[in-house]
Amino acid sequence: MNLTNFQNYISSTIVKRGKNYFKNGHIVELTQLTNTDWEATVEGTDDYTVHVKLSSEEEITSSRCNCPYDGTYCKHEVAVFYALQDEPKMVLNHPPLETILNEQTKDSLVHFLLDVAHEDSHFQQRIFKSFMNDTISQTNLLKKAEKTILKPMKNAIKKGYISSNEEDLVLIGVEEVINQVHDLIKQGELHLASELTLLCFSKTAKLYDISNHTLMIDEVLELCVSLLDEVIPGVTSCSIEQQEDILRKLFDVAIETEEDYWKLELLKQALPFCEDPVFSNAYCTTIPKISFNSEDFGEQAEALILRALIISQDEEQIQLFIDKHQQNPHVRETLIHIAFEDEDFEKALKLASEGIDSDFGKVKLRSKWEQYAYNAHQKLGNQEAMRGIAFMLAAEGDLYFYQELKKLYNHAEWNNIVQDLIVAFDELANFPSWYPDLLIDEKKFAKLLIYCQQSPSRIYTYSTYLKEDFSEEVKALFYQDIKKQAITIANRSDYQILRNALQQFCDAGFRTDVTEIIEQLKDMYPRRTALHEELRKIK
């Protein structure tokens, strides 16, 4: 296999992903170690190291990567092969690194390592991890952290409830341990940081059962998820035993968590482990065993299985899963997202169109698939199809697609379209909230008047736009609403509301009419001095 033809010997999927990695600049360093040996750092879920050995004829005699993928060649190696095609090759005269190190004295090596460790804290932590057995100290730290978390919770757990004014006190121990997690992250102790974060999550989630005020609990759980999102990618570069430990604990905490939302969030955090096919298999077999209170959350969990299979690049299982779960809307949405990521807009459109057909009677789902179809048509340049979808969604009250629809027509064409849209709104049970704004923008004031006549109190908001062309109708609406208020007024608050209504009537240019109404009210309620006081405030 040569640098010029390696694509013929590797899976097309791996080649495609590796080429994308190369094009998108994921190779952060490429170094020639000897005349035949190369080393590269490739940025992925974590930073991975690739070693390649080339012959003088650029034959790839050996290649390896320290990522979890166990296929023949991974996408990181392929990215490096592409980089090596353009990299100038040099003839190096220095001896191999091993020879150089063997020639040094013990003291000089120790001195050198101390200098490097002093300058690079990550390198220092690698030395500690490599040459110290800290299992006992980590176990003690976890036990101490658990006591720190539980001590402030003890009384609340004993009495079986948390009052609203003690929620922050109950969580003091958790906050203290989270501060330790931040320190461990800075030190590169990602495995231990993950363990402590999961401990905080587990103990905090159990407070749901004894608290009616969950805002602070949710904030802590959100912080824990954020920390896991930060550390898990690094944990995937730890030893297999440590990875397996954190994955198992993620599953355990997810299973014991009652709230579906948080259960799902934990399962999402486990996805980075699925680059390893063994862990991916564990993920895919564990999720179906986890119960959810809501069918929708259960379907979202199924879609995570698809994500896991895609990460592990198990093409055969991916297709089997899709065939079995194609009616799951979250699976369909995941496939649409992937199609867009791969710029396969025809596939995205096909999936969205099938969703429209299968979920036509489910308004929210159908609307979602129509939006994806619109985006696919947009990428494909299908303007007529975009117009059809945008009109349909705008007619159902979607403001965004009304704005999109307007962009798709020139000024001369738009007047007929907006007329059709207004007719479509007449068929709705309720007008969208932005309907009057549309009428004002399009200067459809006759329609705006009808809209106000359906609910006379609307005239206070829209009289400015109507009084010039529909003065008598505007006056009638003010009279109608104010008369209704006047019949039911009973206290100072009612008088103030009526006074404000009359003031707006007056400000609209109907001072004479307001004066007449004020006199009528005084005659109607001669003994209500508080009402008279309010009426005198009208200017």
Side-chain angles (χ1 to χ4, degrees), residues 244-256:
E244 186 177 9
D245 176 56
I246 296 302
L247 181 60
R248 177 178 52 79
K249 286 176 178 174
L250 274 167
F251 287 148
D252 290 344
V253 178
I255 289 168
E256 71 183 25

Side-chain angles (χ1 to χ4, degrees), residues 458-490:
R458 292 169 177 164
I459 197 63
Y460 299 102
T461 304
Y462 302 111
S463 63
T464 303
Y465 305 100
L466 298 172
K467 62 185 181 182
E468 183 176 342
D469 296 327
F470 304 99
S471 177
E472 290 303 313
E473 290 86 347
V474 168
K475 182 195 296 186
L477 287 169
F478 271 117
Y479 262 110
Q480 185 179 346
D481 189 71
I482 288 170
K483 181 180 179 181
K484 181 180 176 182
Q485 289 187 46
I487 293 171
T488 59
I489 53 173

Side-chain angles (χ1 to χ4, degrees), residues 10-11 14 48 63-77 240 243 273-281 309 311-315:
I10 302 173
S11 159
I14 299 294
Y48 298 113
S63 176
R64 68 180 187 278
C65 176
N66 65 345
C67 74
Y69 182 62
D70 66 351
T72 308
Y73 295 98
C74 69
K75 59 191 174 186
H76 311 109
E77 291 171 284
I240 294 296
Q243 292 183 58
F273 292 103
C274 294
E275 285 199 13
D276 185 315
V278 174
F279 293 148
S280 177
N281 182 62
L309 293 172
I311 290 170
S312 65
Q313 303 173 2
D314 192 334
E315 303 294 341

Side-chain angles (χ1 to χ4, degrees), residues 201-212:
F201 187 102
S202 173
K203 301 304 179 185
T204 303
K206 289 177 181 177
L207 298 178
Y208 262 102
D209 295 335
I210 59 172
S211 178
N212 293 322

Side-chain angles (χ1 to χ4, degrees), residues 33 67 104 122 137 158 163 239 251 279 281 292 348 477 485:
L33 301 177
C67 74
Q104 309 308 308
H122 294 293
S137 62
K158 186 176 180 180
S163 58
S239 68
F251 287 148
F279 293 148
N281 182 62
F292 288 86
L477 287 169
Q485 289 187 46

Side-chain angles (χ1 to χ4, degrees), residues 32-37 89-97 99-100 103:
Q32 185 175 356
L33 301 177
T34 69
N35 292 331
T36 59
D37 294 290
K89 316 300 185 295
M90 297 181 294
V91 177
L92 301 179
N93 296 319
H94 63 65
L97 180 60
T99 302
I100 294 173
E103 291 175 352

